[in-house]
Amino acid sequence: MANYRYCVAENWGKGFIEHDESSKITFTGYPANVWGLPINNKDANLWINKVLGTVKTRAEAQALVDAQIDSEQTAWDNDNESGETSSEKEQRIGFRPVDITLEE
């Protein structure tokens, strides 16, 4: 049984998630503006409408997250400096982005 529903909504900053909403809804943000929300939660459904979110299936949301992470991994892989060790690269630009699997 699914515990989460997913939507795509662009975070515009202040007011995107209000304090009272965060006390009623558990938000999980992912790459590609994907948001995981508890399923069958009236407040979550109202929030999706407020932010003009587009509901996605888990598979659709996973494809968006995968594409974003693949792009970030490629950029990380291609950002090399001559003679740089892997630990020096990690100090310079951080760790390589890791794959994320969305929960059901």
Side-chain angles (χ1 to χ4, degrees):
M1 182 173 153
N3 294 316
Y4 292 94
R5 75 181 312 178
Y6 296 95
C7 77
V8 173
E10 187 171 344
N11 184 341
W12 63 71
K14 185 173 180 160
F16 182 70
I17 298 174
E18 300 285 349
H19 176 72
D20 65 317
E21 294 166 335
S22 66
S23 66
K24 299 175 187 175
I25 308 166
T26 302
F27 294 91
T28 306
Y30 297 98
N33 291 318
V34 172
W35 294 88
L37 305 159
I39 199 162
N40 298 327
N41 180 308
K42 180 179 118 181
D43 295 307
N45 294 334
L46 291 170
W47 180 83
I48 291 170
N49 287 332
K50 177 191 108 171
V51 300
L52 304 177
T54 303
V55 174
K56 299 289 183 185
T57 65
R58 181 182 168 273
E60 292 169 330
Q62 185 68 62
L64 292 168
V65 169
D66 289 346
Q68 180 69 38
I69 291 175
D70 287 347
S71 174
E72 292 173 8
Q73 287 173 337
T74 298
W76 191 94
D77 292 342
N78 293 332
D79 189 345
N80 297 308
E81 302 226 348
S82 180
E84 180 177 57
T85 67
S86 57
S87 62
E88 290 171 334
K89 182 175 183 174
E90 289 171 352
Q91 286 180 338
R92 180 173 57 85
I93 61 173
F95 292 101
R96 186 175 192 266
V98 297
D99 293 331
I100 296 172
T101 302
L102 301 180
E103 297 183 50
E104 299 236 7

